[in-house]
Amino acid sequence: MSDDKNIRGPQDRSRINTSEDYELQYWSEKFGISRERLIEALEQVGNSADKVEEYLSNR
């Protein structure tokens, strides 16, 4: 099954897909941070949504 680009939420809510702009937008809005801040967090802890959320809550 291929990705439907009309669906703008993440397919796997446990991981952040950095290859898709709409996923970066979704997660930055969900966490209430800028895209740049999200990318910084992803570089620090990887693409696990839980790890990113934990990282952001500790900062």
Side-chain angles (χ1 to χ4, degrees), residues 2-54:
S2 64
D3 282 343
D4 182 350
K5 299 300 181 187
N6 293 318
I7 300 173
R8 295 298 182 212
Q11 294 296 316
D12 178 1
R13 295 192 191 275
S14 68
R15 302 274 177 223
I16 301 171
N17 182 350
T18 59
S19 300
E20 299 291 348
D21 284 336
Y22 68 88
E23 287 227 4
L24 293 174
Q25 180 179 349
Y26 170 86
W27 288 106
S28 62
E29 289 175 6
K30 178 173 174 46
F31 294 136
I33 59 173
S34 69
R35 179 186 185 107
E36 292 76 20
R37 181 78 173 108
L38 177 62
I39 291 169
E40 175 188 317
L42 288 163
E43 289 172 351
Q44 294 298 313
V45 297
N47 69 345
S48 166
D50 290 339
K51 296 272 186 186
V52 170
E53 186 172 29
E54 182 180 329

